[in-house]
Every structure is written in structure tokens, then in C-alpha cells.
Amino acid sequence: MSEVETILIVEDEQQIREAVAMALECEGFQVCQAGTASHATVQAAARKHQLVILDLGLPDRDGVEFIRDYRAWSSTPILILSARSEERSKVEALDAGADDYLTKPFGIAELLARVRALLRRRQFNTSEPQATLQFGDYSIDCVNRVVTRCGEAIHLSQIEYRLLAFLAANPGRVLTHRHLLAQVWGGQAVENPQYLRVYVGHLRQKIEDNPAQPRHILTEIGVGYRFQP
Amino acid sequence: MRKPISPLPTIGYLWSVLGTVTGSLLLSPLRNLVELSNIALLYVLSIVVVAVTYGRGPAVLGALLSSLCYAYFFVPPHFSLAITEAQNLLAAVIMLIVALLVSHLASHLKQHADYAHQKSVESTNLYELSQALAGAMTPASVITLASQFFAESLQARQVRVFLPNEFDTATDPINPALLAQCIERRQLLSRPLGSGSFYAVMPLTAASGVQGVLGLELEAYALSSAEAVETIETVASVVAVAMERSFFAAKARETEIKHAAESLRSSILSALSHDLRTPLTALVGMAETVALGKAPAERQKSMLEAIRNQALSISQQMTNLLDMAKLSAGKFELNTDWQPIEEVIGASLQQVKSHWPERDIRVALEPNLPPLNIDAVLIERVLWNLIENAIKYSPDASPIDIAVKRSEGHNDIDVCDRGPGIDPDRQEQLFELFQRGKAESGVPGVGLGLSIAKTIVEAHGGKISVSNRDAGGCCFRIQLPVGNPPVFLEANDPS
């Protein structure tokens, strides 16, 4: 990393904004702050940021709308901060193009971990797509569509394979039910999350040591799944 | 209730004419075999029958016609209206008079009988209405019952009750002025609507004043007599009393709810003052000590750690309070979906592990559990509350056991600890708001977690209970109904 990474914080509560800014500055990031969506738009247009941290409950505009507009011209990762009561808008925001979320109250350690993961992924995304994905003892050969564990092939159905390959290609990222359904099954399946749950169950049986306490395919209750390599 | 004008009289006249004429024609060949006086009696008999069946008009017509037929067919000279003998003329006249008298008496009796019958039907209806009204608990249900009654018994349309707060805004087919007039005069007022019907308004007056105004559209016959109006007034007074009672009942319920809310508020206040202010005081104290900067670095670090934990625990309790406020306001909606319970348990454990990474948590899941139709976010909340309780109230080194089993129509989820267990006398109350296993406990909390759990589980049609374990500790059990999971097709997935 040659340049200092700048992060835009959009949050109307000054106390939280400053606490987050302080924590990020201590970690060596450069921080821009905005208290409203309109101010954030001005800031976003003025200079390039490597990450946006966005509170969904802004006074002047719906956070989800802000994300939609922002996504129209920028692919900078967005981390959402949401209150517990905003379960639904959180999913909407992720579907609209946000990359990850944190529920208030959150710990600073967790925030920093998410920020680092998102920044890392940004670099990963700009590199070439990989023909082989690795996680744990597993390896996915995307050319021959074969999954092996310590060199031994694992039998997966086509949908199971597609699901696993898509999850593994997006490590650490929270993927909503809708997003996964659209990617793996196609557009007509997005209203049937039970398909997804059944296949995730199958997949866990095949790749997790303890399917009830999974290590790789983690559940984000009410939102979707997160793959942890 | 008065019946609509029936087609009966026309048929009565028709039968009276037809019967007399055909009877006369049939009997006329036998005129030499039957004595003239008996024939006269036969006519009188038939008129009695007509009078009883169809009333006065047809009977009078029958009597006149009978005397003519008698003269024409039977009294010599036959087939002529002329009566030559004085005797026969007298007989014909007497027959006419008797027939008229009998028809009058018979029809009078019939009218009385009909009236009595009608009255008894009316009082039966009224009785049934008042019985139904006695069961009506809200003004709205009283109005519904009254509307049904008027629609059925009077064929009334557009029945509605204008409540006092609607008097000034009432529009077509009535207006505020008409309502005011109706209340002032305390009587039924009606105005024609065209096409032969009327719109009637009637004040509903009970002991404590006017409860509202009844408005209904009626056919003209329903308002045609004083009796008909009186009937409507009787029903209106019954409805008015029922309305008054239901208003009072609603008010009493409201007061009761207000009272319950009041006592809830006071328990929230005491919970807040004790269970939140104590840790807050400690928090401020520790923060100030750190700010003074006199404590050794090592001590400062541990104090900051304590401040963080204390604040997190307060935040957790605030979340509980807010959740409970949301749940008890009845504003929550279950966002259910069919999902494997393993997944929800896995997600709860994921969270628990991040808070208590060292704690030994053992999970035993029966294989092939059916999916449940649940709101995963809320059920996860329940599990988190139960597991958090189990961890808080048992020794650090003891394991927490989580087990899921199938039972009759349910999935049973058990969360068990090796803590002190729960006094059997307190097991029931434990799920109520602001109840804790022990009134003053060193463990922070306000006594909300379990009542949140109970509210959520019951909203899912399930049950939550607690029992003590044989070897010490207690077990919380959630029972969630299994239902009929959708059949899942995996056909389009070649391996």
C-alpha cells in the first residue's frame, strides 16, 4: 500500500462518528466525515475514497437510496451501520449494493476487522479471477468443476457446486438470500429462500466437520450467509 | 313485526267466487234430493270457512254471491233470480244476514289470532335480540346486531348508527339538522326517499342520555301504523340500553388497561433506577478515576476493560427494554419462513462463542429434524436470552447443554445449565415482566429476557417452560409446532 487509504464516514450522530473516526485514525487511515447524505454526496464527488461507512438512519435521506445512487457510479465498498430495529432496511441496503454491515452497538475491534477485510477484498477484486479457490483443507478447481479435500474428490450436485463456488469466490462477504438465489438458481427463484436453506444444509453436511456449528458457511440470521475461508 | 301487504286477499276473493259458483253448479242437479234449508246451511258453512281463511272481504262477497246463487239455482223458479214464495225469500234474507254476521265474527277472531301470533313473533324476536345484545361487549358489535335485526325483520336497508361524535358531519341521506331535531323531539322522524321508501331516524336514548341516532331506510308499510312505529321504538330503546352498557364496559376495560400500564410503568421505573443506575454510577466512578490518571497503568487498563463490559451490559439491557416495549405494544409482525432449526441454533452459538469463547457448550441434535415455520431473527433472540441466562447463572466451569428432539407435533429445544436451579414456587412467575429468580441478585439484569422469550415463543404458537434437573441446575424448554413443511423438489439438480 503506497498511499494512505481514505475512508468516508456518513453518520448523523456526532458521538458515534467521532468515536469511529478516532479509532480509524489511530489505525493510520485518513478519515472524512459527513453528517448528512447531501454532505456525503459532495464529499464523495470531491475526492476518491477507498471505503464508505454509512449509517442507514440519516436525517435527510433514506440510506438505501443513497447506496443505489452511489453504486451507479462507484464500486467503492460500503459498510453499513444499522440499529437493531432496522432488520429489513439492512437487507435492502445489502441488496442495493452495500458490502457488509455492523449492528449497533458494535465493538471497535470488530469494526476494524471489517474495514480491513473490505479493503483487502477491494484489492483482491481488481486482480484476475482465479482458476482455483482454496479454503481450509479444500480446493475448488473452477475449470474442471471439481472440489477436493486433501486431494480427495468430494461428490457435489451441480447446484451444490455452484453455491459453494460462489460462496468461496466471495470470502468474508455477507451475501443476502436474494443475491445467492439469483446467482445460483436464476432470477425466478429469489422469492424462495427455503431452496437456499436446504442446499446450504446439504453443503454443510458434506464440507463441515460439525454442521450444527459451521466453520465455513456462517449464517447471518435474517440476512443471508457469509463464507469464511 | 308487520308483514308486507300479502297477495292473500285477491286469492281470497277469487276462491270465494269460484267456490260458491262451482259448489252451486255441482249441487244444482241434486236440488230435488236435498232440502232447501240444508242447502242454505251448506252456504253458511262455506262462508264460515272463507271468513276464517281469508278474512272479512272475501266472506262478505261470498255471502252476497251465495244468496244470489241460492236464489238462482235452488229456489223455485229455478234459473231465475225471482223468488215467488215469501217463505223462500225470508230464508234467503236470513241466510244472507247469518252469512254476513258469521263472516264478520269469524274474520274478527282471525284478525285477533293473527295479531296475537304476530305479537308473539315480535316478542320472541325482541327477546332473541336482547339476549344477543347482552353478549355484545363493544358498541360496534351492538350496532352490528341491531343492523342485522332491522334488516331481517323490517327489510330495512342502509342501517347505521350515528354516534354523538358524528352528528355534525353526517351527510346524505340525512343531515345534522335532521339529527338535532330528532334528538330534541325524542321521536322517530322520517323523510321520503322517492320510490316509495323512507329514511327514518330514531334517537337511541338510555338512562345516561342519547347514545346515538339510528338511521335506516324502510318501505312505507313499515311506518304505516302507530303500532309499527311503536315496535321500532321498542327495539331502539333495547338497543340504546345495550349501547350504553357496552360503552361503560369499554370504558371499564380501558381503565383496567390503563391501570396495568401504570403498574408496568412503575415496575419499569424501579427496574431502571436499581438495575441500570447502579452500574451507571460505577461506570462514572471508574471513568473519573481513570481520567485522574493517578492509578498505575496496569490498573487503568483493567478499569477501562471493566468500563467497556459494564457499558455493554447496559446496552444489552436497553435492547431488552426496547424489544419488550415493541413486543408488548403488539407492533411486531412475525416474518416467518420455513427453516432448519439447526441453522438458527448455529447462528446463536456463533454469537455466544464470540462473547464467551471459553465456555463449554454441548449441542445434541436429533438427526433429520423437520424445518420449522419461524421468524429466525426472533427465535435466535429467544435462544440467545436462554443461553445467556444459563451462562450467567451457572458456575464458569460447568457445561451448558443444548438439545433438540422431536415430540408429538413439536420440536423441543432444551437449554440446560448446572446452576442453582429454580425454586419450584417461582417457576411460573419467572416468565412475567421484571421477575427474576432472586429479587436482589449480584448478576446484572432487569428480568426481561424470559418474558421476551415467552412473548416470542407464544407468538409462534409454542410454549416455554422450566424444570429443575435431577443432578442440579435447570432446563428451559421451548416447544415449537412443526406444521406442514412445503414439499421440496430437488428434481432439477443433476449430480
Side-chain angles (χ1 to χ4, degrees):
Chain A
M1 274 178 265
S2 54
E3 50 171 338
V4 176
E5 286 165 311
T6 53
I7 298 176
L8 174 61
I9 306 172
V10 191
E11 159 71 82
D12 58 321
E13 310 258 8
Q14 197 192 344
Q15 292 175 339
I16 296 183
R17 194 171 69 225
E18 280 176 358
V20 172
M22 204 196 295
L24 291 172
E25 276 164 359
C26 289
E27 290 298 304
F29 297 107
Q30 196 170 353
V31 177
C32 301
Q33 300 184 28
T36 58
S38 50
H39 188 197
T41 314
V42 174
Q43 294 246 34
R47 66 176 294 183
K48 186 160 169 46
H49 302 93
Q50 277 71 47
L51 176 72
V52 176
I53 298 179
L54 172 73
D55 175 42
L56 278 186
L58 291 174
D60 58 335
R61 202 163 169 217
D62 180 26
V64 178
E65 269 177 47
F66 177 85
I67 296 171
R68 285 206 188 99
D69 286 355
Y70 188 70
R71 270 285 165 268
W73 61 274
S74 171
S75 62
T76 301
I78 300 175
L79 172 62
I80 298 164
L81 306 181
S82 79
R84 256 181 51 79
S85 54
E86 296 170 325
E87 211 59 61
R88 207 161 289 179
S89 53
K90 189 163 71 190
V91 177
E92 268 176 43
L94 289 166
D95 279 332
D99 295 82
D100 205 344
Y101 71 92
L102 270 177
T103 308
K104 291 177 190 171
F106 49 83
I108 291 296
E110 203 178 357
L111 172 81
L112 293 175
R114 295 289 170 89
V115 166
R116 283 194 205 99
L118 284 171
L119 290 173
R120 217 172 24 240
R121 203 176 315 140
R122 197 176 60 90
Q123 293 173 329
F124 172 84
N125 280 351
T126 50
S127 61
E128 283 291 299
Q130 288 172 299
T132 315
L133 299 166
Q134 301 275 351
F135 65 92
D137 301 337
Y138 295 86
S139 143
I140 304 176
D141 176 348
C142 300
V143 179
N144 298 311
R145 305 168 66 85
V146 176
V147 179
T148 51
R149 177 181 201 172
C150 307
E152 206 170 306
I154 292 173
H155 183 78
L156 295 180
S157 73
Q158 278 192 19
I159 286 183
E160 285 165 359
Y161 170 80
R162 250 186 281 163
L163 181 59
L164 179 62
F166 185 69
L167 284 165
N170 293 281
R173 179 161 173 212
V174 50
L175 300 164
T176 62
H177 295 134
R178 264 184 106 79
H179 190 166
L180 283 167
L181 283 161
Q183 283 294 330
V184 178
W185 276 268
Q188 73 281 9
V190 293
E191 301 302 336
N192 291 309
Q194 66 267 30
Y195 281 89
L196 182 58
R197 296 209 175 87
V198 170
Y199 277 95
V200 167
H202 291 177
L203 212 45
R204 281 181 177 149
Q205 294 290 342
K206 291 183 182 176
I207 68 162
E208 299 281 5
D209 295 330
N210 180 356
Q213 295 183 58
R215 260 197 58 211
H216 299 299
I217 307 175
L218 307 182
T219 307
E220 295 284 333
I221 279 286
V223 177
Y225 296 96
R226 185 194 298 273
F227 188 83
Q228 188 172 276
Chain B
M1 296 293 109
R2 196 138 281 235
K3 297 238 165 59
I5 299 159
S6 66
L8 216 59
T10 334
I11 290 181
Y13 288 113
L14 207 66
W15 273 118
S16 161
V17 173
L18 276 179
T20 316
V21 173
T22 40
S24 307
L25 282 173
L26 286 174
L27 265 175
S28 63
L30 306 173
R31 71 176 73 85
N32 296 326
L33 301 175
V34 187
E35 228 172 281
L36 214 49
S37 56
N38 287 344
I39 288 174
L41 283 175
L42 268 178
Y43 274 115
V44 173
L45 180 65
S46 70
I47 283 157
V48 171
V49 172
V50 171
V52 168
T53 324
Y54 299 111
R56 185 178 289 142
V60 170
L61 178 66
L64 292 172
L65 204 59
S66 296
S67 53
L68 289 179
C69 287
Y70 181 65
Y72 189 78
F73 289 108
F74 299 102
V75 180
H78 300 314
F79 305 112
S80 152
L81 286 177
I83 297 174
T84 43
E85 259 179 70
Q87 281 285 352
N88 289 343
L89 184 63
L90 186 64
V93 170
I94 291 177
M95 191 195 93
L96 180 60
I97 292 170
V98 168
L100 286 175
L101 268 176
V102 164
S103 70
H104 174 72
L105 286 174
S107 64
H108 195 66
L109 270 177
K110 177 177 154 46
Q111 214 174 1
H112 265 289
D114 282 354
Y115 183 69
H117 176 70
Q118 191 188 324
K119 276 285 162 204
S120 96
V121 170
E122 272 173 27
S123 39
T124 311
N125 283 345
L126 200 57
Y127 174 70
E128 280 169 6
L129 174 67
S130 34
Q131 255 194 337
L133 286 177
M137 292 311 288
T138 61
S141 55
V142 170
I143 293 172
T144 314
L145 283 168
S147 308
Q148 273 172 7
F149 180 80
F150 282 113
E152 276 169 24
S153 61
L154 284 176
Q155 280 76 47
R157 291 180 297 274
Q158 296 199 47
V159 186
R160 62 166 297 189
V161 171
F162 300 92
L163 296 174
N165 58 7
E166 300 168 325
F167 286 172
D168 295 335
T169 54
T171 52
D172 205 49
I174 55 145
N175 52 51
L178 183 66
L179 285 177
Q181 202 183 8
C182 157
I183 291 163
E184 194 185 324
R185 292 208 209 155
R186 299 190 163 213
Q187 65 179 26
L188 186 143
L189 295 180
S190 63
R191 45 178 286 202
L193 283 179
S195 68
S197 60
F198 285 83
Y199 199 81
V201 283
M202 171 78 221
L204 297 170
T205 315
S208 66
V210 176
Q211 307 297 315
V213 171
L214 172 76
L216 67 177
E217 187 188 328
L218 291 168
E219 292 301 328
Y221 74 86
L223 295 167
S224 57
S225 67
E227 285 159 26
V229 172
E230 198 180 300
T231 311
I232 297 177
E233 283 172 348
T234 313
V235 177
S237 69
V238 171
V239 172
V241 171
M243 293 262 299
E244 182 181 49
R245 189 184 47 75
S246 68
F247 273 126
F248 282 139
K251 211 171 270 179
R253 255 197 316 280
E254 228 166 76
T255 321
E256 204 173 294
I257 290 169
K258 220 178 265 175
H259 184 76
E262 203 60 51
S263 77
L264 182 65
R265 193 169 316 150
S266 68
S267 29
I268 290 178
L269 278 180
S270 73
L272 283 180
S273 65
H274 178 260
D275 294 295
L276 293 180
R277 251 176 51 193
T278 314
L280 274 175
T281 314
L283 208 58
V284 173
M286 285 189 286
E288 281 171 350
T289 316
V290 175
L292 283 176
K294 287 182 184 162
E298 192 57 30
R299 186 97 183 84
Q300 275 195 19
K301 201 169 175 228
S302 78
M303 247 189 270
L304 285 173
E305 188 68 20
I307 289 174
R308 177 179 168 273
N309 290 341
Q310 199 76 276
L312 276 180
S313 133
I314 293 172
S315 142
Q316 172 79 36
Q317 287 172 40
M318 288 309 297
T319 312
N320 270 343
L321 265 174
L322 289 176
D323 278 3
M324 197 62 229
K326 213 166 24 170
L327 292 178
S328 57
K331 280 193 201 120
F332 75 111
E333 222 173 81
L334 289 188
N335 188 8
T336 62
D337 216 335
W338 290 96
Q339 35 209 332
I341 188 70
E342 300 93 310
E343 183 156 280
V344 186
I345 290 181
S348 312
L349 289 177
Q350 208 171 295
Q351 270 212 50
V352 172
K353 282 280 173 207
S354 73
H355 277 75
W356 294 280
E358 305 298 319
R359 194 64 187 244
D360 179 13
I361 296 172
R362 301 168 183 178
V363 184
L365 298 173
E366 207 177 85
N368 301 322
L369 289 165
L372 299 175
N373 192 24
I374 49 177
D375 184 325
V377 175
L378 292 179
I379 292 295
E380 195 221 349
R381 187 99 186 82
V382 173
L383 288 170
W384 164 263
N385 281 355
L386 294 184
I387 299 172
E388 189 199 19
N389 267 352
I391 291 176
K392 275 187 347 189
Y393 292 98
S394 61
D396 285 345
S398 67
I400 307 292
D401 292 300
I402 298 172
V404 186
K405 296 186 280 284
R406 283 200 74 161
S407 68
E408 194 70 32
H410 286 101
N411 265 1
D412 293 353
I413 307 165
D414 291 340
V415 177
C416 307
D417 63 39
R418 290 288 174 199
I422 295 191
D423 185 350
D425 296 340
R426 292 190 61 83
Q427 287 181 359
E428 279 293 308
Q429 306 163 27
L430 203 62
F431 296 99
E432 284 167 25
L433 272 183
F434 302 109
Q435 292 293 329
R436 304 188 61 191
K438 286 193 182 94
E440 291 283 325
S441 163
V443 180
V446 289
L448 278 171
L450 287 177
S451 54
I452 290 174
K454 184 178 184 216
T455 312
I456 294 175
V457 169
E458 287 179 352
H460 281 84
K463 274 186 288 189
I464 186 165
S465 57
V466 63
S467 57
N468 283 332
R469 298 171 95 178
D470 291 339
C474 64
C475 257
F476 284 88
R477 167 168 290 185
I478 313 168
Q479 291 188 296
L480 292 172
V482 168
N484 297 310
V487 180
F488 187 74
L489 297 174
E490 297 175 40
N492 307 327
D493 184 23
S495 40

